[in-house]
Amino acid sequence: MIRSRIARFKSSLQNKLLFSYSLVIMIPLLILGSILYVSTISMTQTQTKENRLLEMQLLSEQLQEYFNSLELYSRAIYTGEIQQLLNNGLPGDIIEQTRWKSSLFQQFSEWYGYMGIRADIHNVTIVTSNGTMIQRDPLYVREENFAEELWYREALKLNGKVYVAGPFERSYLLPTSKASPYVFSVVRKINNTTGRSDLGGIVIDVSVMDIYRLLNELKLQDMIILNADNQIVYSSAIDKIGQQWADGEKIKGSTSTWMDIDGQRMLVSSTYSDATGWRFVSLDPLSSIQSNSNKYRNLTIGIGLLALIIALIISTFVSRRITKPIRTLQQKMKKVQNGDFNIQLDVQSTDEVGQLTQSFNRMTEEIHTLVNHVYKSDIIQKEAQLKALHSQINPHFLYNTLDSINAIAVIEEVPVLAQMTKMLSDMFRYSISTGEQIVPLQEELKQVVRYVEIQQIRYDDKFKLVVNIPDHLLSYPIPKLTLQPIVENAIYHGLEMLPGEGQIQITGYESSSHMILEVSDNGPGIPAPTLLSIQNNLQGKAPDTEHIGLANVQERIQLHFGPDCGITLQSKLGEGTTVTYKLPLADYKGPVI
């Protein structure tokens, strides 16, 4: 086995040339390139970690200064004026309440100006000890009871220390930002400095876009800030703010490690902020870290390509003596292209040229043999087309004959016969029409009505048809001839043997994701074994040659709308049968391939 493989390798001129030149050129390049590539990746990874550490330190300092400003703003609750107003409590009179609130939040506004606070305060809410919420601006669509929230209760446990909660998506009359609707809240308990009563707490809402604008000035790339619940507080991608980040569970404490995130290899660095309880996470794709290494790799590849070009020039000179048989083969192939298949070449070697020559000889022999088969197949195909044309004559002849019978019935004043032939003619014309295979539901219902009217004449109005479909569903696209076979089954297998009056009801309605059609009858129902066999057939579990019509309807619906759609059958002895169509609610766009 090994000897035969070595012999095949030696017989290939291409293998000999490529193997020798590849060894001389590629081995040194691979060794040098691998060393450069690995070393530069290691250096880049170390540099990236150091840069991220500096960025996070700068970020932490900026946020610390920002939250110091918010904490300073919240200290307004300890001024004498605000303490006095809170101890006096909210007046009962509406006018006095308005003055009281105006005085309260006027103190906050003055404090804001005195302290030179830079933060963009969105709203301030005082939550009293009994849960009443007193807002600076009545922005909320509905009153949210902060006193019942877990984050508010956790803040009160800190006895006056600042607690950062959020982000939250508040229900505002006016949106906080077109870019992001989220806010975070600075919460603290209001300690009573002039009395003993419980003064409640304060909630200061700040739009996350305030942080976004602050950090965007730092031009941080691929940086994420998470709260304790792995909810994104900040991201360079605004639409991700407020979302849960599932990968946050994998990042514990301060770390720098490789992780697979969203199908991409990332260098993940993180650190923790004691001031806010937030985590700063940086994401550096492996591709960006490898960028410098790729430069050396590309340089190595360029040198290798140059060496290969030189090698190819040398190999071209050597191979010229080998290409003569190939040129001869090329000339003979042109003759075959012009229709001459009686060409055979002498095989003078066992390499690729010799093997190609053998294949060429076999090809010309097979082409010569196949010409006769193709000629005969063409004759058979034309005969089949001719038979198909003949088969189209019979339906049109029958259709024209029905029209003639209808005309004679009108002349001879036989209205029942005229009515039946007219409806049968219309049904036949609808069936053999070569137009669209998808028709509006209204057209399919017309075909059902024509069929039922013919059967009512036959059975002397033994049953009736009830259609209950909203007008806006009548234009819904449905495969042609998928309702009439089901109605036909209901008559022949259900209502025909019914002693009393029969009824077929067609109902249509929309569910959350589908359009539903139900064809029901009040016939005797289907025995359980037969019903199970039909259901298995419709689900493709077991073939059933006795109910081809149902299987045909199922196959056509799924061909056009996909395997999620189709028909199901439910029946109970003595209570009738229901066939349910499940069709897509979206606009029809063509057959599913």
Side-chain angles (χ1 to χ4, degrees):
M1 178 66 70
I2 297 177
R3 290 182 179 179
S4 63
R5 291 183 178 179
I6 294 175
R8 285 198 300 270
F9 181 84
K10 289 182 178 181
S11 65
S12 172
L13 296 176
Q14 182 179 4
N15 288 344
K16 293 177 182 178
L17 292 173
L18 291 178
F19 181 76
S20 58
Y21 288 114
S22 297
L23 285 179
V24 173
I25 298 171
M26 298 307 297
I27 290 179
L29 290 176
L30 287 174
I31 295 175
L32 178 62
S34 299
I35 294 174
L36 289 174
Y37 190 68
V38 173
S39 60
T40 52
I41 286 181
S42 178
M43 293 171 58
T44 305
Q45 180 176 344
T46 302
Q47 186 65 39
T48 300
K49 290 180 180 179
E50 293 176 354
N51 291 340
R52 284 303 191 182
L53 181 60
L54 293 175
E55 288 180 357
M56 290 182 181
Q57 184 177 355
L58 177 61
L59 173 61
S60 180
E61 292 174 355
Q62 290 283 347
L63 285 179
Q64 183 67 52
E65 182 180 352
Y66 178 78
F67 278 98
N68 287 342
S69 177
L70 291 176
E71 194 274 340
L72 178 61
Y73 178 74
S74 67
R75 291 185 187 180
I77 59 177
Y78 296 123
T79 62
E81 293 83 355
I82 293 180
Q83 285 280 317
Q84 181 179 356
L85 288 170
L86 293 177
N87 274 290
N88 291 338
L90 185 66
D93 182 68
I94 298 298
I95 297 177
E96 291 300 324
Q97 282 186 10
T98 303
R99 293 175 178 172
W100 186 88
K101 290 181 181 179
S102 178
S103 298
L104 177 66
F105 291 111
Q106 179 64 29
Q107 295 298 322
F108 278 98
S109 298
E110 293 176 358
W111 181 266
Y112 186 91
Y114 294 155
M115 297 295 105
I117 297 169
R118 296 172 55 192
D120 184 11
I121 307 300
H122 186 71
N123 197 15
V124 178
T125 303
I126 301 295
V127 184
T128 64
S129 58
N130 61 4
T132 301
M133 294 171 55
I134 305 168
Q135 302 171 18
R136 184 188 69 182
D137 300 311
L139 299 177
Y140 302 123
V141 174
R142 61 181 183 276
E143 288 291 335
E144 300 182 48
N145 193 349
F146 290 167
E148 298 178 358
E149 299 293 338
L150 177 61
W151 52 266
Y152 180 77
R153 296 197 300 269
E154 291 293 329
L156 294 185
K157 294 178 182 178
L158 299 178
N159 293 322
K161 291 184 179 179
V162 169
Y163 180 83
V164 180
F168 302 113
E169 189 174 8
R170 301 277 194 227
S171 300
Y172 290 109
L173 288 171
L174 297 175
T176 59
S177 170
K178 293 182 179 179
S180 177
Y182 289 92
V183 300
F184 66 91
S185 299
V186 176
V187 192
R188 72 187 305 172
K189 180 182 179 182
I190 303 176
N191 293 326
N192 195 336
T193 60
T194 61
R196 296 185 178 182
S197 60
D198 186 359
L199 299 182
I202 182 172
V203 179
I204 303 171
D205 286 342
V206 183
S207 174
V208 295
M209 293 306 298
D210 203 25
I211 289 185
Y212 184 86
R213 286 188 293 269
L214 175 66
L215 301 186
N216 200 40
E217 297 175 356
L218 301 178
K219 297 182 179 180
L220 302 178
Q221 298 294 327
D222 299 316
M223 181 73 72
I224 295 175
I225 300 179
L226 302 174
N227 64 10
D229 298 323
N230 294 315
Q231 193 176 11
I232 297 177
V233 180
Y234 165 83
S235 173
S236 55
I238 298 177
D239 57 324
K240 293 183 179 180
I241 295 176
Q243 298 180 8
Q244 291 291 130
W245 195 45
D247 292 314
E249 294 288 345
K250 307 175 185 177
I251 305 170
K252 304 296 183 183
S254 298
T255 182
S256 182
T257 184
W258 288 100
M259 293 176 58
D260 292 320
I261 297 177
D262 296 332
Q264 191 175 8
R265 193 67 172 169
M266 297 276 191
L267 177 62
V268 180
S269 302
S270 68
T271 187
Y272 180 80
S273 171
D274 294 327
T276 60
W278 292 348
R279 283 176 294 161
F280 309 139
V281 181
S282 65
L283 304 175
D284 293 287
L286 177 61
S287 57
S288 65
I289 296 177
Q290 291 177 331
S291 58
N292 290 333
S293 303
N294 291 340
K295 294 179 182 178
Y296 290 100
R297 180 196 61 191
N298 295 336
L299 177 62
T300 304
I301 292 174
I303 296 174
L305 289 175
L306 179 61
L308 285 176
I309 291 173
I310 296 174
L312 288 174
I313 294 174
I314 297 174
S315 63
T316 300
F317 175 77
V318 176
S319 63
R320 284 182 178 177
R321 300 182 61 184
I322 307 173
T323 57
K324 183 178 179 180
I326 298 177
R327 289 195 296 268
T328 303
L329 181 61
Q330 181 184 21
Q331 294 172 358
K332 298 299 182 182
M333 289 182 69
K334 288 182 178 179
K335 292 184 178 181
V336 173
Q337 183 178 357
N338 293 328
D340 185 2
F341 304 118
N342 296 320
I343 296 178
Q344 293 291 307
L345 298 176
D346 294 333
V347 180
Q348 299 178 352
S349 63
T350 59
D351 57 16
E352 282 86 349
V353 177
Q355 296 172 14
L356 185 60
T357 303
Q358 292 178 350
S359 299
F360 175 79
N361 291 337
R362 289 195 298 270
M363 179 189 69
T364 54
E365 292 177 0
E366 291 180 1
I367 290 176
H368 188 269
T369 303
L370 288 174
V371 166
N372 293 328
H373 292 293
V374 172
Y375 177 74
K376 292 178 181 179
S377 299
D378 188 42
I379 294 177
I380 294 173
Q381 182 179 4
K382 290 182 178 179
E383 290 178 352
Q385 293 175 349
L386 184 60
K387 290 180 181 179
L389 292 175
H390 282 297
S391 66
Q392 293 180 1
I393 297 175
N394 294 332
H396 286 283
F397 173 74
L398 179 57
Y399 171 70
N400 293 332
T401 303
L402 288 173
D403 273 349
S404 299
I405 294 174
N406 178 46
I408 294 172
V410 173
I411 295 173
E412 296 296 331
E413 297 183 354
V414 186
V416 175
L417 179 58
Q419 183 183 0
M420 291 185 68
T421 54
K422 177 64 170 62
M423 288 185 292
L424 184 59
S425 174
D426 291 342
M427 287 186 63
F428 201 69
R429 178 172 58 185
Y430 179 80
S431 301
I432 68 174
S433 62
T434 59
E436 294 290 337
Q437 294 301 310
I438 296 294
V439 298
L441 177 59
Q442 186 173 10
E443 295 298 322
E444 187 69 8
L445 288 173
K446 290 180 181 179
Q447 178 76 345
V448 171
V449 170
R450 288 191 287 262
Y451 174 78
V452 171
E453 288 180 355
I454 293 175
Q455 296 300 329
Q456 284 176 330
I457 295 174
R458 176 184 176 188
Y459 290 100
D460 195 20
D461 292 328
K462 184 180 179 180
F463 51 84
K464 64 179 179 179
L465 173 67
V466 178
V467 178
N468 184 15
I469 297 178
D471 291 340
H472 70 278
L473 293 180
L474 294 178
S475 61
Y476 186 88
I478 186 172
K480 188 176 180 180
L481 292 176
T482 50
L483 274 181
Q484 185 267 334
I486 304 303
V487 174
E488 182 176 347
N489 279 350
I491 293 175
Y492 282 108
H493 299 291
L495 304 182
E496 185 177 33
M497 305 303 296
L498 192 69
E501 182 183 20
Q503 176 176 303
I504 299 174
Q505 183 169 350
I506 302 177
T507 305
Y509 58 90
E510 294 173 297
S511 68
S512 60
S513 58
H514 291 85
M515 202 276 275
I516 307 298
L517 288 176
E518 293 181 352
V519 180
S520 306
D521 66 68
N522 62 340
I526 302 174
T530 305
L531 178 63
L532 179 61
S533 176
I534 297 174
Q535 290 174 337
N536 289 336
N537 182 33
L538 293 178
Q539 296 174 5
K541 296 180 180 179
D544 184 356
T545 57
E546 296 183 3
H547 302 89
I548 299 176
L550 289 171
N552 179 267
V553 172
Q554 178 81 310
E555 182 178 357
R556 292 177 60 218
I557 291 176
Q558 292 184 345
L559 174 64
H560 286 282
F561 296 127
D564 293 337
C565 299
I567 61 174
T568 55
L569 187 68
Q570 299 294 330
S571 183
K572 194 171 184 180
L573 288 177
E575 297 183 8
T577 302
T578 299
V579 177
T580 302
Y581 291 70
K582 182 182 178 183
L583 303 173
L585 191 59
D587 293 338
Y588 172 74
K589 297 181 180 178
V592 176
I593 303 300

